[in-house]
């Protein structure tokens, strides 16, 4: 392969430079095989701590560990070539101090080779974001609904539903941008607030249930594929894989029970490799 043929991965500065330009396409992925598919069409792949709920069936993202994120981050890096891979910092791995955040983030970058990390929180995380970016860690922020705060906020309800509640969320977004984040997720806020923040901050906003006016959008892959049993109201389903998988499993089970399952002749009769 010549140098010209090499596929260059997008970087945090490339995404930062997309502010107000071509929309930034983002999806989550936790596996090598889905990452390979997502990589063809997305600019950013987020290894979200939503994997705790989607892959492991936890009720929230709280139980997710740094080791879990690093393991799935490796898988996504192996499966992708072009997209910027961003890995979520899980609850408990960065909030105690900016030094704790740096040590955790350095592990993620060194052990996975990903291009950036994401932290939840606005003004309270500004000092940490500035500390990390000054030390070579590209940070994506996350404001609005921050699922790791579930035990203090009580539910995954949309934030800033009344105009009177917009001020603190706007302040959070500005603090994250001024601290040096290269982009920020805005989750589950009133549409006019998502639009307003996008117009106010100098870095790209990535909406999830926020506003089509955001500089980019993100969804949890399994939610938009119709694989998740419960999805937020704002999720558009682009496929309905749950029933298709169930039908395939049922057909297989029927085959096996009827002893119609392909026997050895289907494998040994084949020329070349079985796979
Ligand atoms: O964990 C996650 O998947 C996320 C996205 C929903 C933005 O943070």
């Amino acid at each position: 392969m010549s140098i010209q043929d090499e596929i260059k991965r997008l970087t945090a500065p490339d995404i930062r430079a997309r502010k107000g330009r071509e929309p930034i396409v983002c999806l989550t992925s936790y596996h090598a095989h889905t990452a390979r598919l997502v990589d063809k069409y997305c600019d950013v792949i987020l290894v979200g701590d939503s994997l705790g709920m989607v892959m492991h069936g936890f009720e929230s993202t709280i139980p997710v560990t740094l080791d879990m994120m690093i393991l799935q981050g490796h898988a996504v890096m192996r499966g992708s070539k072009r997209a910027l891979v961003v890995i979520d910092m899980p609850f408990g791995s960065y909030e105690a101090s900016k030094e704790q955040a740096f040590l955790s983030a350095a592990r993620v970058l060194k052990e996975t080779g990903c291009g950036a990390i994401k932290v939840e929180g606005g003004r309270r995380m500004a000092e940490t974001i500035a500390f990390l970016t000054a030390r070579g860690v590209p940070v994506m922020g996350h404001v609005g609904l921050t699922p790791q705060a579930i035990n203090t906020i009580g539910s995954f309800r949309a934030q800033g539903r009344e105009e009177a509640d917009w001020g603190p969320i706007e302040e959070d977004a500005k603090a994250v941008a001024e601290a040096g984040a290269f982009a920020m997720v805005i989750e589950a806020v009133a549409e006019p607030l998502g639009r307003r923040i996008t117009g106010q901050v100098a870095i790209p906003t990535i909406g999830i249930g926020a506003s089509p006016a955001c500089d980019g959008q993100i969804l949890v892959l399994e939610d938009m594929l119709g694989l998740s049993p419960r999805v937020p109201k704002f999720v558009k389903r682009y496929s309905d894989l749950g029933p298709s998988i169930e039908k395939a499993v049922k057909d297989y089970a029927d085959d096996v029970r009827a002893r119609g399952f392909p026997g050895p002749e289907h494998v040994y009769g084949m020329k070349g490799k079985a796979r």
Side-chain angles (χ1 to χ4, degrees):
M1 187 191 267
S2 75
I3 291 176
Q4 285 79 6
D5 289 340
E6 270 179 34
I7 298 165
K8 191 179 164 301
R9 241 186 224 280
L10 290 168
T11 63
D14 292 334
I15 299 301
R16 166 74 185 78
R18 295 268 289 272
K19 175 73 186 174
R21 298 171 62 182
E22 191 197 347
I24 302 163
V25 186
C26 319
L27 276 173
T28 63
S29 167
Y30 324 119
H31 322 96
H33 292 179
T34 56
R36 191 165 293 124
L37 301 172
V38 166
D39 189 53
K40 291 186 183 169
Y41 304 100
C42 289
D43 303 304
V44 175
I45 304 179
L46 173 69
V47 185
D49 61 353
S50 51
L51 65 80
M53 298 160 93
V54 177
M55 287 180 69
H56 297 276
F58 292 127
E59 283 298 311
S60 76
T61 56
I62 302 298
V64 175
T65 65
L66 200 57
D67 286 339
M68 287 161 84
M69 297 308 303
I70 289 173
L71 193 62
Q72 302 318 133
H74 266 304
V76 169
M77 285 299 291
R78 279 194 294 273
S80 63
K81 287 189 203 144
R82 181 192 157 269
L84 170 68
V85 173
V86 180
I87 300 186
D88 249 341
M89 301 287 283
F91 179 72
S93 69
Y94 63 99
E95 305 89 329
S97 67
K98 50 194 193 314
E99 288 80 10
Q100 183 209 23
F102 180 77
L103 293 175
S104 299
R107 255 198 82 192
V108 171
L109 293 185
K110 283 159 84 96
E111 293 182 31
T112 68
C114 76
I117 56 98
K118 175 164 84 59
V119 297
E120 291 187 8
R123 284 158 293 173
R124 68 184 169 81
M125 288 311 300
E127 197 188 345
T128 297
I129 294 172
F131 188 83
L132 293 180
T133 51
R135 284 159 182 77
V137 180
V139 181
M140 177 179 274
H142 185 151
V143 302
L145 174 66
T146 50
Q148 292 175 10
I150 181 67
N151 288 319
T152 46
I153 58 178
S155 75
F156 294 118
R157 274 158 47 107
Q159 304 292 295
R161 295 202 293 186
E162 307 297 330
E163 198 169 343
D165 304 329
W166 290 3
I169 303 174
E170 284 181 78
E171 291 309 313
D172 279 344
K174 285 183 201 157
V176 165
E178 282 160 19
F182 71 92
M184 81 178 83
V185 168
I186 309 181
E187 180 163 355
V189 300
E191 196 280 331
L193 176 59
R195 182 181 296 274
R196 198 153 120 168
I197 292 173
T198 300
Q200 284 173 344
V201 297
I203 60 171
T205 56
I206 311 293
I208 172 160
S211 165
C214 287
D215 298 293
Q217 300 293 328
I218 186 160
L219 284 176
V220 170
L221 181 67
E222 285 77 357
D223 290 355
M224 59 87 95
L225 291 180
L227 267 176
S228 305
R230 278 174 294 151
V231 294
K233 282 204 193 94
F234 56 75
V235 172
K236 176 171 171 186
R237 288 202 183 194
Y238 288 82
S239 191
D240 204 10
L241 290 192
S244 312
I245 292 177
E246 191 175 336
K247 181 175 179 315
V249 172
K250 181 182 175 304
D251 290 350
Y252 163 76
D254 290 348
D255 261 358
V256 173
R257 290 196 179 104
R259 303 206 186 278
F261 182 71
E265 70 276 11
H266 288 81
V267 177
Y268 301 127
M270 283 193 326
K271 289 207 171 115
K273 287 188 184 166
R275 261 173 203 263

